[in-house]
Amino acid sequence: MPHSVFTYDDVPKDVVKLLQSHLPFSLPLLRRVQYTKFPGGSTPAARVVLVCDAQEASNGLLALTKFTTAFVDVGGGRDTQMWFYSTLEDQTQLDSDEAVQYEEQLDALVKRIIGVTQEYGRELVYPGGVLLGSLHSSVRAIMEKSGRVIPRPTGIYDKWLFRVDEVPDIEDQLPQGMYWDAPTVDDCKIVLSRTDIPRTVEALSKMPGLAIKLADGTPISWAFLSPDGSLVSLHCEPEYRRRGFAKTLAAKLFRERTREFGEDGWCAADVSPDNDGSRGMCFRLKGKTYWQVTWVMLDVRDIKSSA
C-alpha cells in the first residue's frame, strides 16, 4: 500500500492535535513533543517523523486514521532519545491486511530514522544505535521482525495511568523541620547517586521536580516528571520511609506540575511488575495498568555499512 513519509524540524500543531485525539495510548509521545516547549526540551537535531497511507495524507493530518509517528533527538545525550506512537496500539486485534500495513509503516519509519541519524553528521552517543523508550509491546512485536531491535537488561514495565482529578488530595503539611522545594542542581547530583539509570544532572535539572527537604536543605525524598511525563526517580531516604512521604510527594507532583505539559488531565508511571511497593503506591493513587513497555536500542546502522 503506498504510504507517505513526513519529517519535521519542529512539532506541527496538527501532530499535537492528532496525538491528543488518540489518548491515552499516545500519551508518552504526546508528552515528549509537548516537552519541547520546556527550556532545553530539545536540540537542533530533533525531528518528528510521521508515516501514513498516501491517500489519507491527501486529506490533511487530522484526517489520518492509521499512522505511525515518532520523535527522535540524537543530540540530547544518553537519556532516552526516541519515542513511538502507532494507531496499532489502539487495536485489540488486527486482520492480516492491517498487520501488513503497520509492518510497512514501521519499516518506512525506521528507514527514515536511519536517514535522520546520518543527516546528524556526528558520532552517535550510542554507536550505531538510538535509545528507544516506552515502546508499546504490540509495536515492539512487529519491529522485532526487522532485526533492528536490540533488547536491554531493564526488562518490562507496566504503564500505569492516572487522572489528575482522581489522584487523592493528600494532606501535604510536613512535620516541623521539613519543607517543600524544587530540586537544585546539587540535589540532582544526590538523586543520581541513588540510581543506576543513565541520566545526567543537566537533563534531570530541566525536568519538573519536587523534593522534601530538612531545615538545613538536605533532600530526603524526591521525584520528577520525565520528558514523556512519567513519574521517575521517586525515592525516599531509608531512615524516612514508611511515613507516607513518597506517596504524598508523588500526588502533589502530579497535581501541581502535570498541567505544565498539557490540560488533558493524564499522568503516568512506568513500574516493574515485581516492584510491589511502587505498584501498591500507584494503586493508592487511583492508578490503573493499561499496557506494557520496554526500553530497547534501535540499530540504525546503514545496511551497506553493517554488511
Side-chain angles (χ1 to χ4, degrees):
M1 180 178 295
H3 52 257
S4 297
V5 181
F6 301 95
T7 305
Y8 306 97
D9 295 347
D10 298 310
V11 181
K13 291 182 180 179
D14 281 354
V15 168
V16 174
K17 292 178 181 178
L18 192 61
L19 292 172
Q20 288 171 332
S21 70
H22 286 272
L23 286 169
F25 294 100
S26 61
L27 184 64
L29 180 56
L30 173 62
R31 288 288 182 263
R32 184 57 187 90
V33 298
Q34 289 172 329
Y35 189 73
T36 61
K37 68 186 179 184
F38 284 60
S42 65
T43 76
R47 299 289 184 271
V48 174
V49 179
L50 186 145
V51 181
C52 61
D53 175 74
Q55 185 173 352
E56 281 195 342
S58 65
N59 297 319
L61 294 183
L62 297 181
L64 300 180
T65 59
K66 291 184 174 65
F67 63 92
T68 299
T69 185
F71 174 89
V72 59
D73 189 353
V74 294
R78 299 185 64 83
D79 300 284
T80 305
Q81 300 170 310
M82 183 175 174
W83 286 259
F84 262 106
Y85 167 70
S86 174
T87 46
L88 161 66
E89 300 174 32
D90 303 357
Q91 310 297 316
T92 56
Q93 189 172 355
L94 297 177
D95 61 36
S96 57
D97 289 340
E98 288 176 321
V100 169
Q101 182 179 3
Y102 282 117
E103 188 170 345
E104 290 176 349
Q105 285 190 4
L106 287 166
D107 182 62
L109 191 143
V110 169
K111 288 179 178 177
R112 183 64 195 105
I113 295 298
I114 293 173
V116 168
T117 63
Q118 293 172 341
E119 293 160 9
Y120 179 54
R122 304 178 189 177
E123 184 176 352
L124 299 178
V125 174
Y126 299 100
V130 172
L131 182 56
L132 170 56
S134 198
L135 181 63
H136 193 290
S137 56
S138 64
V139 176
R140 175 172 175 167
I142 292 181
M143 287 186 65
E144 285 180 331
K145 297 179 183 180
S146 70
R148 289 187 174 274
V149 173
I150 303 172
R152 287 173 59 83
T154 48
I156 298 173
Y157 296 89
D158 291 326
K159 176 67 74 174
W160 284 76
L161 298 185
F162 311 79
R163 297 294 295 168
V164 172
D165 57 2
E166 294 176 1
V167 172
D169 189 8
I170 302 171
E171 171 60 48
D172 60 8
Q173 181 68 40
L174 295 173
Q176 186 175 0
M178 297 183 185
Y179 67 98
W180 295 102
D181 196 18
T184 65
V185 170
D186 286 339
D187 295 335
C188 290
K189 294 177 182 178
I190 296 175
V191 172
L192 293 178
S193 73
R194 305 295 196 271
T195 180
D196 56 2
I197 297 175
R199 293 193 177 97
T200 63
V201 170
E202 180 183 12
L204 196 63
S205 64
K206 295 174 183 175
M207 300 178 194
L210 188 62
I212 299 174
K213 298 183 179 181
L214 302 179
D216 64 0
T218 302
I220 57 97
S221 187
W222 53 76
F224 299 80
L225 297 180
S226 73
D228 70 5
S230 294
L231 182 72
V232 294
S233 296
L234 177 63
H235 175 85
C236 188
E237 297 285 55
E239 59 268 38
Y240 296 97
R241 292 176 184 172
R242 300 187 181 280
R243 296 171 63 179
F245 289 141
K247 181 180 72 172
T248 302
L249 189 150
K252 185 176 178 68
L253 183 59
F254 277 152
R255 290 197 310 271
E256 296 183 359
R257 304 299 299 274
T258 297
R259 289 184 176 86
E260 295 176 25
F261 289 87
E263 296 290 339
D264 52 70
W266 288 101
C267 41
D270 301 319
V271 178
S272 174
D274 58 4
N275 189 333
D276 292 336
S278 293
R279 289 174 60 86
M281 187 202 69
C282 288
F283 181 78
R284 290 191 293 274
L285 293 180
K286 308 300 182 183
K288 299 177 182 178
T289 56
Y290 278 70
W291 64 89
Q292 291 188 315
V293 299
T294 52
W295 266 250
V296 301
M297 193 65 67
L298 180 66
D299 183 351
V300 294
R301 293 174 296 171
D302 183 74
I303 295 176
K304 294 180 181 178
S305 64
S306 62

